Structures are given as C-alpha cells and as structure tokens.
Amino acid sequence: MWITNLPPFIPFFIAACLLTLLPRKARYAMLLLPVWGGLNLWFGAQEGNWLTYSIAEFELQLMKVDRLSLMFGYLFHIAAFIALIYSLHVKDRLQQVAGLLYAGSALGAVFSGDLLSLFIFWELLALTSVWLIWARRTEKATKAGLRYLIFQVLSGVLLLAGTLIHYSQTGSLAFEFIGLDSIASWIILIALGIKCGFPFLHTWLTDAYPEATPTGTVFLSAFTTKVAIFALARIFPGTELLVYIGAAMTCFPIFYAVIENDLRKVLAYSLINQLGFMVCGIGIGTALALNGAVAHAFNDVIFKGLLFMTMGAVLHRVGHVNGSNLGGLYKTMPKTTVFCIVGAASISAFPLFSGFVSKSMVMAAMIDAGHEYLWLMLLFASAGVFHHAGIKIPFFAFFAHDSGLRPKEAPANMLTAMFIASCLCIFIGSYPDLMYSLLPWENDYVPYDITHVLTQLQLLFFSALAFVWLNKKGLYPPELRSVNLDVEWLYRKLLPSAAMQVRTIASQLNNGMQQQILGLITRLPDIKESSTYSAAHLTKRMAGLLAILLLLGYLGKTL
Amino acid sequence: MSEHNESQSDEETENRFFDKPRNVAIILWVFYAICAALVIMDFIVHRHIYTQIEEIPAFYALYGFVACVVLVLIATQMRKVLMRGEDYYDKSNDEGHE
C-alpha cells in the first residue's frame, strides 16, 4: 500500500501528466493524490538520507527526511489538497496541471538533500507557477508574469552561482547549515531573500500575486515563499542579520496595506508581514524561535490560503476586488463572510485561532533573546496586521457601505475548501498540541495562559477601538482607486524612462551624424567631363605624387 | 460579473441586520464594554512581566490603540507622496513602445 521513501514530488508530476491526457471528469480523481501522498509520507517515510545519485562529480540526494522536511511535506500536501478542491470548477486545465506541477516542485525542493537538486526544483517552482499568473490572460497579467519570471529565475541563477562557488571552496553540496561567512553564502542569502520577500526584493510578490487567477493565487501563496523559508531555516538559522531584516519585513508592508485598494494586493503585503515573523524567528535561532517560525509558516499557509480563497471567491463572483467598490456583500455571500472572518481572526492571532499559537512563540523568543526594541516593532506589526487584514479586508469587502452588488454565494467546491481551511484554523488554534508534536526542535511552549490571552485580547480589542474611533472622527483614509509607488517604481518607471532618454539621445546623435556625413559628401568635388580632369592630367598628377613618395622614402632610409 | 439573486426580493436584502442603526449601536456598546472589562482585568489579574515596558498599566491596550492610530496617520501622509492614478504604469508602458 505504501511505497517507502518515495519522493513525494513524483506522484504529483505523474498526476499532472495524466491530467493533460484524461477526460475532464478525471479531475475529481486527482484529489485523491495529495491524500494518498500525505499518508504515504506519514507511513512510508523513514528519517535519513535516501536516493543518492552521482552525476559527473556531483552527488544528488532526492530524499532527505527529517522532522523539518516532514513537517513542510505534510503542510504542502494539505495545501495542495485544499487548493485542488478550490479549483475544481475551473474549466481551464492549464491551472490545475500547473498547480500540480508547482506543488510537486515545492515537495521536491523541501526533500532535497543537496543544493543542486534544490536549484533544479527552485527553478521548476518558477517555471510552473508563472503559468498560474499567465492563465488570467489579460495584458496586465501577462506583463506581471514576465516580471515575476525574471525575478524568480534571477533568484535561481544566484542560487546556482552561490552553490558552485561554495562547492569550489568547500567541496560540499550538502543542503545544511552554512551560515553567513563567505561570498558564496551572501549570494545564496540574496537568492533566498528574493523568494522570501526581503525588503527591496519583494516587489514581485505584490506585483504578480494580485494579477493571477482566483485559484492561481491560492496556489501561489502556499508554496514559493514557504520553500524559501524552509531553505532559510536549513542554511541560515541563528544569523543575527535576519532578525533585523525580519523586523523590517513585518513593519513596512502594513503601511502600504492600509492605503492599498486592491484587496488581494493588501493580502500580498500582509504575506510579506507574516514572512517577517518567520524570518525573525529563524534569525534568533533558538529552539523556541525556530519552532515558532516553522509553526507560523504552517499556520500561515492555511490562513493565508483561506483569506486568498475568500477574496478569490469575491473576485470570481463580482469581477474585481477593489475595496472602493465593494461592500454589503454579507447579504448574499454570508458563508464566505464567515470564512473570511475566521481567516482574519487567525492572521490576527486571536485566541482560539491558529495564528495565536505560533506568532506568540516568535514574540516570546524575541524577548528571551533580549531584542526588546525589535520586539516592540513586532508588537506594532501585530497590531497593524489586525488592522489591515483582520478588520479592513472583511469590513470593506463584506460590510461598510452597501455597494448595491448582490453576487451569488461562492460555488460549492470553493465553499468546501474554505470550510476545511477554517476548521483547520480553529482546530489548530484550540488544540495546538497535535501541530506542536510535529515541530522539529524540542518544544515545551504553552500558548494558553492568562497573561498571553489577556495581553493579546487587549492589543486586538484596542486596535479595533482605534479603527472605530478613526472612522468616527473621519480620519480613516478612504479606499480609492489608485496605484501606490513601491520599489518597483525603479524598474517599471525609472529604468524604462532612462532607457527612453538614452534612445532619444542616441537617435538624435544618429541623425546628427548622418546629416554631417551627407553634408561632407555633397561638398566633395564633382567629377566633370571637362578638360581639367582628363586622364592625361590625372596621370601627370599621379606620377608627380609617386616621385615625391619615392624621394621621401629615400630620404627616410638614409637619414 | 455581479449576478442578481432572483430568489430574494430587493426589499429583503435592503434592510438586513447591519442596516438597522440600532443593531450596529448594540454591537458597538457590547464592544466598548469588553474593552473596558479588559482594562479592568489588567488591575485584577496578575500578569507575568517579561520586560520593563510591560509594567505600564494596560500597556498592551494603550500600545494597540496608539500603534494603530500612528499607523493610519503615517499611512495617510505616505499616500500624499506615493499615490498615483490607476493606470500609472500602464500609461508609461504604452508611451515607451511608440
């Protein structure tokens, strides 16, 4: 029944191939796949390093099983299962095939034992996921997909470069702790940072994720960034720089999230915020911190997926997710509203919801490690998350003023997927021990005590109070159809403008030179047929020139 | 695009729960009561204190409120610098290809 140590990416790749060939009804069968795959992983995988192949001088390892890779493995199977249910209604087979290949690539990446295999799956992640953006088939999506692809492939190229330099310096390709001590490791850090959404390297996320299809974004949010977090946790745990980067990542997106209109772009910024908590945890490096980071990654996939699913449902039924033009949807989409609120409570770390049991671990680890000012930043970010994801998104989409829109409730498969995700959020939040038992490092953290619950409730309720007060005072910024400038301005506006300037100057130079040369040509003497220019005359001149040259040569030789 | 729900009359969807101001007012009063209760709890319950700053009474409540107000005010100012029209990037791309 179970295949021992089967690399989990194989069933997904096979299913993707089958899906292209089999009739449409077969797509229901593909749901069995992540279920079987997950169970196979549970029963059939043994801790250790398996499936080592030698190619040329390199040793590739396809199945490195330990508690960390297993946890991410289970997580990706759950995510794939939910996302596949969510996408059942889609007639465009491209999305489901791409989704399966994408999930498979992510699984291949987390079970890699060496950096070269990681690189291969890293690039596969990019190549498979871009189709989920292009599947939207609008001009904006096509261009966004291209920009996304450039960033992702760049990340892969940097990873390869760093790997090869590292190999030439140490002779090792092992996917394990390296730490920040050489040029190679810096290059690898930047490669991981691109996929993690480090500040200044994050714009591909906020640019591309809102442009993908409703189901596409659900897939996208689950895999790429979490594979990067996994790699970061393997290669750079305890790197102090990451604590500062993570803190920055939690803070800057929440400002953008408040003024952003496209609600899925708000979620994209929110994703960077959540990744910041994970990066912080990895940076601190203690068992509690690393457990917190991994636990938060686990919970984030589920509640972020849930939030993207609810917004995807709105997009599917209404045609857009602009906060400025939504509102009052609770009347005709009550179930979606409830699921959205569950997701919002989870991301805000409301007690009894999943975010509470993981985010608090990172916060506690921060204090233990003595980073008090950074802890305050993270606390600020936590309040901010509740504001833009916990309140703003459900409020402007489903409540606020009545927009007059009366869309139908989301289709049954979407509701099922959202229901499963919501149940998981509440279950993990209320009974965290099951998830805690999967954690890779020693864990004795207790999330539910009076202090944690009381302080968190105070933080959340008074953030909500601030929202109410700001609204009553008319100080809350309205949702406006707009674009807010982010770092992408550099390559979407400055670079093309500069290139245009160069082109203009170059063409001016070109024209100028052409005119100059033409002018010179017209000033050349015409060859007329008059006597002054007879052949005899020319011959005499040539002879004279020859005589002078001979004289000069003779003089040059003797002097 | 949006689809009208034929099975429900317009009247039914026009005056639902949150449309009645009285319901909204009740919810808000319950909310304020909970906020007050949480602050009072802070003086009754013994909180574990890990850092010096947590010793401020009702620290988390104050921090949550102030943080959000500051966040929104700064974001509003940021908007003055960063906001552009919806087709800001699309326009420039078109001009670039001429």
Side-chain angles (χ1 to χ4, degrees):
Chain A
M1 177 93 184
W2 311 119
I3 305 177
T4 325
N5 291 327
L6 173 75
F9 73 89
I10 291 180
F12 277 85
F13 281 12
I14 294 178
C17 292
L18 287 176
L19 196 63
T20 50
L21 303 167
L22 294 174
R24 252 198 96 217
K25 291 285 182 192
R27 74 191 188 287
Y28 287 100
M30 79 181 165
L31 287 178
L32 295 173
L33 183 78
V35 178
W36 182 84
L39 289 171
N40 188 49
L41 204 57
W42 183 268
F43 291 115
Q46 298 153 343
E47 287 200 27
N49 303 327
W50 315 100
L51 295 177
T52 315
Y53 300 104
S54 283
I55 298 184
E57 61 185 89
F58 303 117
E59 252 194 35
L60 298 183
Q61 202 171 76
L62 287 179
M63 195 66 180
K64 179 179 168 130
V65 181
D66 59 15
R67 291 180 67 89
L68 183 60
S69 54
L70 276 176
M71 185 158 186
F72 275 84
Y74 299 136
L75 173 66
F76 288 161
H77 278 97
I78 295 174
F81 180 61
I82 296 177
L84 284 172
I85 297 181
Y86 188 76
S87 69
L88 276 177
H89 66 284
V90 175
K91 294 188 176 54
D92 173 19
R93 228 189 293 209
L94 171 67
Q95 291 185 46
Q96 284 137 348
V97 170
L100 282 170
L101 288 173
Y102 185 44
S105 310
L107 285 165
V110 302
F111 282 99
S112 293
D114 69 285
L115 291 169
L116 271 184
S117 312
L118 176 68
F119 164 72
I120 295 171
F121 287 112
W122 197 261
E123 291 293 52
L124 278 173
L125 278 173
L127 293 171
T128 51
S129 55
V130 74
W131 292 102
L132 293 167
I133 303 170
W134 282 338
R136 189 102 180 263
R137 296 185 172 92
T138 62
E139 201 191 323
K140 272 181 93 170
T142 312
K143 291 185 186 161
L146 267 174
R147 290 190 291 265
Y148 170 87
L149 194 59
I150 292 174
F151 264 96
Q152 300 293 310
V153 169
L154 178 67
S155 164
V157 166
L158 284 172
L159 179 63
L160 183 63
T163 301
L164 292 175
I165 298 177
H166 178 75
Y167 179 71
S168 74
Q169 283 176 344
T170 63
S172 161
L173 275 178
F175 185 12
E176 59 184 14
F177 177 76
I178 296 178
L180 206 60
D181 57 0
S182 60
I183 300 272
S185 60
W186 275 96
I187 297 177
I188 294 179
L189 181 69
I190 296 178
L192 298 186
I194 293 178
K195 275 205 157 67
C196 266
F198 278 10
F200 297 106
L201 302 174
H202 68 280
T203 47
W204 60 268
L205 222 166
T206 52
D207 180 21
Y209 280 23
E211 296 300 335
T213 59
T215 48
T217 313
V218 176
F219 274 103
L220 286 171
S221 67
F223 297 112
T224 299
T225 47
K226 303 310 176 299
V227 169
I229 292 283
F230 172 84
L232 212 60
R234 268 250 204 267
I235 303 180
F236 295 104
T239 308
E240 182 146 2
L241 177 65
L242 288 177
V243 185
Y244 297 97
I245 294 179
M249 278 167 73
T250 55
C251 286
F252 85 84
I254 51 181
F255 294 98
Y256 277 100
V258 171
I259 52 177
E260 184 56 56
N261 190 26
D262 181 330
L263 293 180
R264 291 203 310 167
K265 198 160 182 174
V266 173
L267 284 176
Y269 275 110
S270 190
L271 183 57
I272 301 176
N273 164 283
Q274 298 298 305
L275 290 168
F277 283 95
M278 298 173 221
V279 171
C280 260
I282 295 173
I284 297 171
T286 59
L288 178 65
L290 287 167
N291 274 337
V294 172
H296 203 59
F298 194 93
N299 289 329
D300 180 80
V301 168
I302 300 174
F303 62 61
K304 215 9 148 275
L306 175 60
L307 283 170
F308 270 115
M309 282 195 277
T310 53
M311 288 299 110
V314 171
L315 178 63
H316 178 70
R317 286 301 195 208
V318 176
H320 65 82
V321 267
N322 293 326
S324 52
N325 303 73
L326 292 172
L329 296 182
Y330 79 91
K331 296 179 182 178
T332 50
M333 296 179 87
K335 298 193 186 93
T336 311
T337 310
V338 170
F339 295 139
C340 187
I341 293 177
V342 171
S346 303
I347 197 175
S348 317
F350 213 89
L352 294 183
F353 292 87
S354 54
F356 181 71
V357 304
S358 54
K359 196 183 278 189
S360 47
M361 287 173 83
V362 176
M363 304 289 283
M366 276 303 252
I367 294 191
D368 281 350
H371 294 285
E372 281 186 26
Y373 288 110
L374 293 174
W375 174 79
L376 278 174
M377 277 175 77
L378 259 62
L379 199 62
F380 174 79
S382 300
V385 161
F386 183 51
H387 210 93
H388 74 249
I391 301 179
K392 167 167 158 157
I393 287 183
F395 184 74
F396 284 109
F398 298 104
F399 300 99
H401 64 279
D402 194 339
S403 59
L405 294 167
R406 298 284 181 264
K408 270 200 325 202
E409 181 60 270
N413 65 305
M414 282 188 171
L415 287 173
T416 312
M418 292 194 273
F419 178 70
I420 296 175
S422 302
C423 288
L424 277 173
C425 284
I426 299 176
F427 179 72
I428 295 176
S430 309
Y431 185 61
D433 288 343
L434 197 59
M435 194 261 293
Y436 280 177
S437 67
L438 291 174
L439 288 174
W441 289 269
E442 283 278 317
N443 183 48
D444 55 4
Y445 183 75
V446 176
Y448 283 104
D449 61 20
I450 288 285
T451 307
H452 288 138
V453 174
L454 180 64
T455 53
Q456 187 68 3
L457 283 175
Q458 284 175 339
L459 189 77
L460 294 174
F461 268 87
F462 277 79
S463 305
L465 189 66
F467 180 80
V468 171
W469 181 76
L470 286 163
N471 262 303
K472 285 204 184 281
K473 285 267 177 195
L475 287 171
Y476 201 84
E479 296 293 285
L480 296 171
R481 301 189 71 122
S482 59
V483 155
N484 296 308
L485 300 183
D486 198 341
V487 177
E488 60 180 354
W489 178 83
L490 288 174
Y491 58 84
R492 281 186 80 179
K493 193 80 168 154
L494 186 63
L495 208 57
S497 292
M500 275 305 292
Q501 295 265 29
V502 171
R503 208 176 95 172
T504 319
I505 294 176
S507 79
Q508 277 176 349
L509 272 176
N510 186 35
N511 285 337
M513 282 193 68
Q514 275 186 344
Q515 284 180 345
Q516 288 278 346
I517 292 177
L518 279 173
L520 283 173
I521 291 176
T522 50
R523 277 199 245 121
L524 282 176
D526 279 333
I527 299 182
K528 300 182 204 138
E529 289 189 11
S530 64
S531 56
T532 1
Y533 292 97
S534 65
H537 228 82
L538 282 169
T539 317
K540 270 196 233 169
R541 288 188 185 186
M542 293 283 281
L545 196 58
L546 184 61
I548 295 173
L549 280 172
L550 283 172
L551 188 60
L552 283 173
Y554 176 71
L555 286 174
K557 225 178 148 190
T558 50
L559 288 173
Chain B
M1 290 308 219
S2 68
E3 294 160 301
H4 287 288
N5 203 335
E6 249 112 67
S7 59
Q8 269 179 314
S9 67
D10 271 346
E11 219 182 80
E12 267 187 45
T13 58
E14 283 320 320
N15 257 317
R16 296 275 292 277
F17 188 76
F18 290 105
D19 286 326
K20 303 194 184 75
R22 200 170 151 266
N23 289 332
V24 177
I26 293 178
I27 291 179
L28 278 178
W29 279 110
V30 170
F31 174 71
Y32 294 144
I34 297 178
C35 286
L38 284 170
V39 174
I40 295 172
M41 288 276 278
D42 206 70
F43 296 103
I44 303 176
V45 167
H46 170 70
R47 271 199 286 131
H48 285 291
I49 303 220
Y50 299 100
T51 53
Q52 217 184 359
I53 201 168
E54 277 180 312
E55 287 170 17
I56 301 173
F59 167 69
Y60 285 90
L62 284 171
Y63 198 78
F65 189 86
V66 171
C68 281
V69 172
V70 166
L71 168 70
V72 170
L73 291 178
I74 294 182
T76 316
Q77 297 307 311
M78 268 174 66
R79 200 180 222 179
K80 292 186 183 152
V81 176
L82 296 177
M83 188 164 100
R84 296 289 184 282
E86 235 188 345
D87 54 355
Y88 178 73
Y89 287 117
D90 309 323
K91 238 180 6 183
S92 70
N93 279 334
D94 286 339
E95 275 164 33
H97 286 136
E98 264 156 38

